[in-house]
Amino acid sequence: MSAPPPTLAQIASCVSGYDPDALPVAQAQEFIARLVPRVQAVQRVPIRSALGRVLAHDLISTLDVPAHDNAAMDGYALRGSELAASGDTVLRIAGRGLAGTPFEGAPGPGECVRIMTGAVMPAGLDTVVPQEFVRVEEGRATLPAGVVRAGDNRRRAGEDLAKGEPALHAGRVLRPADLGLLASLGQAEVAVRRRLRVAFFSTGDELRSVGEPLDEGCVYDSNRYTLWGMLRRLGVEPIDMGVVRDDPAALEAAFRDAAANADAVITSGGVSVGEADHTRRIMNTLGEVLFWRIAMRPGRPLAIGRIGNAVLFGLPGNPVAVMVSFYAFVRDALLAMSGAAPQPLPMLRAASLRAIRKKPGRTEFQRGIVTRAGDGWQVEITGSQGSGILRSMSVANGLVVLGHEQGDVPAGAPLDVLPFDGLI
Ligand code: AMP
Ligand code: MG
């Protein structure tokens, strides 16, 4: 039996400066990293199905790749020790070697072999001179001094992957190059972690689903679609539970169902202080849940905890706040739960086109449009930054991250920008 997971109070006591009512983004991230478990189950899948999946074990190379020293160029293979220091080198052509049809036999002193890229190096030969440097007459190859050094244009056995060495490490999210590596080891299948199951639903009596008439005072549920998109991009299995009415029985059933079928449950809406709805209360009765106010903008309220064995992320309802909270807290947590090694996102440094007002003491994620400027980048904020303005996420191509301590930003100052490419 493994030890029971730590309680939320125990985790909180490990996070220095923990204050649920004004929690800095970094502390919230640290808490969540301590909270989330990792899926253990492993399955074997064919190479193509492994794209984007998490490698379960270190992949130890069973072969040297390439298996033999071979030619990196079309030309003539020779002994580096026979290259003349000055004047021409003249060698007799003993035969030829092609990729897949090696030269058999051992060339003697003063001999070379016509060779093509990928052909196995003939015994005793260690250098390839590219064909454009060689004059061929009456079965002899002549090359001038200084065009190659001993050992040039030869690929070493095992230089790509060495037998017995790890070719890929556990936790790797497999990319196209990795599928190629698997193939070059001759492996048809690979062990990956089970896909994480993530159930999600929207809460709020004002929400209507697409296809329904929009009643007076209502809005269409857009979070269902942004969340679905972000989860798909992350490579997890989304379980879409739609809109759940603000009704205690309906909410309780949805939470129980979600927690029984998923590794993580994501909700949007209903976690702000003073919400008239039942979401917070039901979360509290069904599980161990904390309600935070994060020192960030957009996206201040966040509920975090466990219901049954599932991790709960209660995101705010505003459409931009949902997305920003997802990138700030949920992305890394779900990757960790999937068994993936940490994958910090690359940031650009871009000069701010305008002055920006910013209060120290909270992290802001403003939507920006990054463009090239000379050798570097510049960024312009996309107009109004209201957390209900989803279009700001759509027109932006990155999030400008204004750190906790940052104050007002003068025009021209360098800013950190998280590009959306590869993220959304
Ligand atoms: P809440 O966090 O429940 O107070 O919601 C904050 C704002 O976000 C309100 O204006 C809601 O109408 C809006 N909102 C909540 N959930 C959604 C959703 N799924 N789609 C679009 N807007 C939403
Ligand atoms: Mg609400």
Side-chain angles (χ1 to χ4, degrees), residues 203-206 269-272 275 277 317:
T203 68
D205 269 351
E206 76 283 25
V271 292
S272 327
E275 279 273 348
D277 57 24

Side-chain angles (χ1 to χ4, degrees), residues 311-387:
V311 176
L312 172 72
F313 300 92
L315 306 185
N318 273 305
V320 181
V322 164
M323 297 194 76
V324 168
S325 309
F326 185 95
Y327 291 129
F329 305 113
V330 185
R331 174 192 181 270
D332 285 359
L334 295 185
L335 283 172
M337 291 177 77
S338 305
Q343 302 183 65
L345 292 165
M347 290 268 193
L348 286 180
R349 278 303 258 184
S352 183
L353 262 171
R354 298 188 201 295
I356 301 174
R357 293 181 65 94
K358 160 73 172 61
K359 277 200 203 136
R362 69 182 182 209
T363 304
E364 291 193 14
F365 297 88
Q366 300 206 4
R367 276 71 71 206
I369 298 172
V370 189
T371 47
R372 277 257 20 133
D375 292 342
W377 300 93
Q378 64 185 17
V379 62
E380 176 154 32
I381 300 301
T382 62
S384 170
Q385 296 291 305
S387 70

Side-chain angles (χ1 to χ4, degrees), residues 202-203 206-207 219-223 268-270 272 275 316-319:
S202 307
T203 68
E206 76 283 25
L207 302 180
V219 290
Y220 282 119
D221 172 11
S222 58
N223 293 345
S268 72
S272 327
E275 279 273 348
N318 273 305

Side-chain angles (χ1 to χ4, degrees), residues 9-20 22-31 34:
Q10 283 167 336
I11 296 172
S13 70
C14 299
V15 176
S16 70
Y18 175 79
D19 173 3
L23 195 60
V25 168
Q27 258 90 342
Q29 288 167 333
E30 184 190 335
F31 187 109
R34 289 175 182 273

Side-chain angles (χ1 to χ4, degrees), residues 61-71 118-121 155-163 184-185:
S61 181
T62 49
L63 303 172
D64 276 332
V65 179
H68 307 276
D69 287 9
N70 68 81
V120 173
M121 290 295 284
R155 301 172 182 149
R156 293 289 212 158
E159 73 173 16
D160 188 3
L161 299 172
K163 186 173 177 176
S184 58
L185 291 175

